[in-house]
Amino acid sequence: MSSGTRELLRLLAAVNGRLSGDVSLPVLAAWARRSRFDLHRRFRRAVGETPKAYTTRVRLTRAAAELVSGDRRVSAVAARHGFASHEVFTRAFTRHLGLSPMRYRARGLHVAGRRVAAVHASAVSSAAPCVSLYHLRLSERKPAVPLQISVRDVPAFHALVLRRRVTRDEIAGALAECLPAVFGYAQQHGLAITGPPFARYPEVGMGSLVIEGGVTVAELPSTTLSDGIEALSVPAGRAAVAVHRGPYEGLAGSYQEIEKWLRDQGLSAAGAPWETYLTDPGEHPDPATWETEIVQPVGSGRI
């Protein structure tokens, strides 16, 4: 990984650790020991947003999750997430989510209950910082960490996804487009998110593949979806499950290792695999600590 990328990841971790404080461009530039112009350019190229747009989005996203999961006053939520006043918070919130904070709280989530709201808030807080950085390419090769593979009963789940046909080299770009769009759609429409972002591969060919990037939700909405968002329901079943540890460049090798393990166990793949991004690069700057869970449904056979 280039020193510039590692430096930026460390900066993002520092920013996400103090999003109620001053994270203006001059402060970030001082932290990074770079000029404002240089940091702004590097930040936007890597993250896809300006520093101001990034910090505002993450603050608003986390504040929205708190509004529907707690009873703290709106003014207190605004202050907790770094907004100078109730008025500034309300204007920014309404632009970002289409409703005022009070109306957003009154509408709530599409599935009621304190437990659902708490799970939603936790998932949003974890994924918001770098929802566009999963599959970040680091040009870094490290020895593969041995996989611990097991067959488990995997529960059914519901999800919202955007579907794209891409080449393998385009996976990172596709996820950088799809995951923020689905994540933002779910939050804007009050859909209860239940876990980290994921990518599913319903079709894999020699030259291209189909990728579905999205988030799991408590229940599918009864209203018609828009903006290209699709509903996905994956049934319960048996699957080979392993956690890949390290940079995303090593994921292909982990999939190959799972395929070999299945053959050795006399099992066969039976359905589209998916990967769930357990670690947010924006909060954990060391790629060696990144964890991605791989799930490959399997057919009948011995274990």
Side-chain angles (χ1 to χ4, degrees):
M1 175 171 53
S2 71
S3 59
T5 303
R6 186 179 295 277
E7 173 189 312
L8 181 61
L9 289 173
R10 286 197 297 264
L11 178 64
L12 288 175
V15 168
N16 290 310
R18 55 167 296 173
L19 273 175
S20 61
D22 185 356
V23 287
S24 61
L25 182 58
V27 170
L28 299 186
W31 286 356
R33 297 182 179 179
R34 293 187 177 276
S35 71
R36 299 180 192 181
F37 173 80
D38 184 48
L39 178 64
H40 190 279
R41 177 178 59 82
R42 288 171 178 266
F43 194 104
R44 185 167 189 170
R45 183 174 59 194
V47 181
E49 298 171 286
T50 66
K52 181 175 177 58
Y54 172 82
T55 54
T56 300
R57 175 184 61 78
V58 176
R59 283 174 163 174
L60 289 171
T61 298
R62 287 175 164 171
E66 183 174 349
L67 284 172
V68 295
S69 63
D71 53 11
R72 194 188 300 265
R73 293 175 57 187
V74 173
S75 59
V77 172
R80 173 178 165 85
H81 293 279
F83 289 90
S85 69
H86 181 282
E87 292 73 20
V88 170
F89 174 63
T90 298
R91 287 197 300 270
F93 191 98
T94 304
R95 284 196 303 268
H96 186 71
L97 289 156
L99 294 173
S100 70
M102 290 295 291
R103 290 182 62 194
Y104 188 88
R105 168 175 272 173
R107 184 192 63 184
L109 297 172
H110 79 303
V111 177
R114 285 190 172 274
R115 181 180 176 279
V116 170
V119 171
H120 169 80
S122 176
V124 167
S125 181
S126 297
C130 284
V131 71
S132 65
L133 289 186
Y134 298 106
H135 266 264
L136 176 69
R137 298 181 68 86
L138 303 176
S139 300
E140 182 172 271
R141 291 285 185 262
K142 287 188 174 182
V145 178
L147 292 181
Q148 299 295 320
I149 308 170
S150 62
V151 172
R152 307 178 196 169
D153 291 322
V154 177
F157 65 87
H158 302 297
L160 304 179
V161 300
L162 274 173
R163 184 178 292 112
R164 296 287 185 269
R165 178 175 290 279
V166 298
T167 66
R168 283 168 174 77
D169 289 340
E170 295 171 334
I171 291 176
L175 290 179
E177 173 194 351
C178 293
L179 293 181
V182 177
F183 185 85
Y185 183 95
Q187 196 172 36
Q188 184 174 16
H189 290 81
L191 305 177
I193 299 172
T194 57
F198 75 98
R200 186 169 176 266
Y201 300 91
E203 182 183 331
V204 179
M206 292 296 292
S208 66
L209 51 85
V210 174
I211 187 170
E212 295 171 336
V215 295
T216 57
V217 293
E219 292 180 10
L220 293 178
S222 57
T223 55
T224 302
L225 299 172
S226 59
D227 300 333
I229 308 292
E230 300 182 38
L232 174 69
S233 291
V234 176
R238 291 197 317 156
V241 181
V243 174
H244 167 85
R245 293 179 172 85
Y248 301 121
E249 281 90 338
L251 278 167
S254 291
Y255 276 102
Q256 292 171 2
E257 188 172 340
I258 292 172
E259 290 176 8
K260 180 180 183 302
W261 186 88
L262 289 176
R263 291 195 298 269
D264 292 344
Q265 298 297 313
L267 297 170
S268 59
W274 67 88
E275 58 197 36
T276 302
Y277 307 112
L278 305 179
T279 308
D280 191 326
E283 295 190 303
H284 301 274
D286 182 0
T289 67
W290 296 352
E291 294 188 343
T292 306
E293 183 181 69
I294 301 173
V295 179
Q296 172 59 71
V298 298
S300 59
R302 64 181 180 85
I303 298 178

